[in-house]
């Protein structure tokens, strides 16, 4: 069974602090890694798609890196703001698209 | 808004019944994927359709079936409903055949409750 693991499951961060979390995925048959932000009562919103080892993507204060050889991706948020509170999902394309369970981020005022 | 719409938004069914969920893809997208998200879990891949053909399937029994229409809208059908089928069902549309390289845009989901 192919598993995509995200850690931590939940995270509380003070407003203004920076944070990061991890997505681990099987490295065989890999072709893409997606990050989504899912706010309560909304649809998951695509943040990044990465395909190549060493890829780095950035959108405002959020960035992500990809290591396909060891099977992990990091998502970084710099200077957390209240609007960053959401569940962050990663999904690996390894044949089928397999989602992790998500990291729930809470920003504390 | 993603341009992907799902209907209905909420549904209550009795065990043993059948249900049809619908998804209208974003304009120009020819691939639709369906996911089940049980409480506390990440989305689980059910299957994907590309140009009206099933193009990949997750670990779901045959009573989960689907259709994609020429306009690329899609249906998910579940027969002989079980209590464990209670979940949020999401569809996502994308452009690429693999569904992995291109961005996928999600609908807001259908919340199915089986009693």
């Amino acid at each position: 069974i192919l598993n995509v693991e995200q850690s931590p499951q939940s995270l509380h961060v003070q407003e203004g602090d920076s944070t990061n979390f991890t997505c681990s995925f099987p490295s065989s048959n890999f072709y893409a890694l997606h990050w989504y932000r899912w706010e309560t009562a909304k649809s998951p919103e695509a943040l990044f798609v990465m395909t190549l080892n060493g890829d780095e993507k950035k959108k405002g204060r959020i960035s992500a890196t990809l290591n396909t050889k060891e099977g992990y991706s990091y998502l970084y948020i710099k200077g957390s703001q209240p609007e960053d509170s959401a569940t962050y999902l990663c999904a690996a394309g390894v044949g089928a698209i397999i989602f992790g369970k998500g990291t729930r981020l809470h920003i504390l005022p | 808004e993603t341009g992907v719409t799902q209907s209905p938004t909420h549904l209550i069914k009795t065990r043993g019944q059948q249900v049809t969920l619908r998804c209208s893809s974003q304009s120009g997208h020819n691939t639709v994927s369906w996911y089940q998200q049980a409480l506390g879990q990440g989305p689980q891949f059910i299957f994907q359709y590309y140009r009206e053909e099933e193009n990949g399937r997750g670990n779901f029994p045959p009573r989960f079936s689907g259709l994609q229409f020429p306009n690329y809208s899609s249906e998910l059908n579940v027969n002989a409903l079980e209590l464990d089928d209670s979940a949020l069902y999401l569809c996502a549309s994308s452009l690429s055949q693999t569904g992995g390289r291109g961005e996928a845009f999600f609908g807001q989901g259908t919340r199915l409750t089986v009693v």
Side-chain angles (χ1 to χ4, degrees), chain A residues 58-106:
Chain A
K58 189 175 179 182
K59 186 185 283 190
R61 295 179 291 99
I62 304 177
S63 60
T65 60
L66 179 66
N67 183 323
T68 61
K69 293 183 179 176
E70 295 181 40
Y72 64 84
S73 174
Y74 293 132
L75 188 81
Y76 300 90
I77 301 178
K78 189 176 175 182
S80 302
Q81 298 297 309
E83 60 265 29
D84 297 328
S85 294
T87 296
Y88 291 83
L89 286 172
C90 76
V94 286
I97 298 171
I98 303 174
F99 279 84
K101 292 182 182 178
T103 292
R104 188 163 295 186
L105 177 64
H106 306 267

Side-chain angles (χ1 to χ4, degrees), chain B residues 5 7 10 18 20-21 27 29 33 39 41 43 56 59 64 66-67 71 74 84 87 90 97 101 104:
Chain B
T5 57
S7 62
H10 296 83
Q18 179 266 344
T20 297
L21 311 182
S27 177
H29 283 185
S33 306
L39 199 62
Q41 304 291 318
N59 190 26
F64 285 78
L67 279 174
N71 66 356
S74 175
D84 284 350
L90 295 164
Q97 177 176 357
R101 291 185 175 85

Side-chain angles (χ1 to χ4, degrees), chain B residues 70-91:
Chain B
N71 66 356
Y72 301 138
S73 65
S74 175
E75 286 182 356
L76 164 66
N77 299 292
V78 187
N79 293 323
L81 283 165
E82 300 177 2
L83 297 179
D84 284 350
D85 296 332
S86 296
L88 180 69
Y89 289 85
L90 295 164
C91 76

Side-chain angles (χ1 to χ4, degrees), chain B:
Chain B
E1 291 300 320
T2 64
V4 180
T5 57
Q6 290 187 243
S7 62
T9 53
H10 296 83
L11 197 54
I12 299 174
K13 287 285 194 178
T14 304
R15 191 171 50 182
Q17 284 188 313
Q18 179 266 344
V19 69
T20 297
L21 311 182
R22 294 182 174 84
C23 173
S24 294
S25 302
Q26 187 167 41
S27 177
H29 283 185
N30 54 16
T31 302
V32 65
S33 306
W34 284 91
Y35 300 87
Q36 179 196 66
Q37 187 179 34
L39 199 62
Q41 304 291 318
Q44 301 288 318
F45 175 71
I46 303 175
F47 44 57
Q48 181 184 90
Y49 277 80
Y50 170 68
R51 291 187 174 178
E52 303 177 58
E53 300 269 337
E54 188 177 292
N55 186 40
R57 189 177 182 93
N59 190 26
F60 280 80
R63 60 190 184 82
F64 285 78
S65 63
L67 279 174
Q68 189 182 29
F69 299 100
N71 66 356
Y72 301 138
S73 65
S74 175
E75 286 182 356
L76 164 66
N77 299 292
V78 187
N79 293 323
L81 283 165
E82 300 177 2
L83 297 179
D84 284 350
D85 296 332
S86 296
L88 180 69
Y89 289 85
L90 295 164
C91 76
S93 75
S94 58
L95 261 178
S96 67
Q97 177 176 357
T98 60
R101 291 185 175 85
E103 273 185 60
F105 295 90
F106 284 86
Q108 289 205 307
T110 294
R111 172 75 62 187
L112 173 65
T113 304
V114 182
V115 297

Side-chain angles (χ1 to χ4, degrees), chain A residues 4-9 21-24 33-39 42-50 64 73 75 86-92 97-105, chain B residues 35-38 40-44 88 90 106:
Chain A
V4 173
E5 302 286 344
Q6 289 189 248
S7 62
Q9 189 174 349
F21 26 92
T22 307
C23 173
S24 302
L33 192 285
H34 301 247
W35 281 101
Y36 293 90
R37 174 168 58 204
W38 195 350
E39 296 177 66
K42 294 186 179 179
S43 306
E45 171 201 354
L47 289 173
F48 305 113
V49 179
M50 295 181 288
S73 174
L75 188 81
T87 296
Y88 291 83
L89 286 172
C90 76
I97 298 171
I98 303 174
F99 279 84
K101 292 182 182 178
T103 292
R104 188 163 295 186
L105 177 64
Chain B
Y35 300 87
Q36 179 196 66
Q37 187 179 34
Q41 304 291 318
Q44 301 288 318
L88 180 69
L90 295 164
F106 284 86

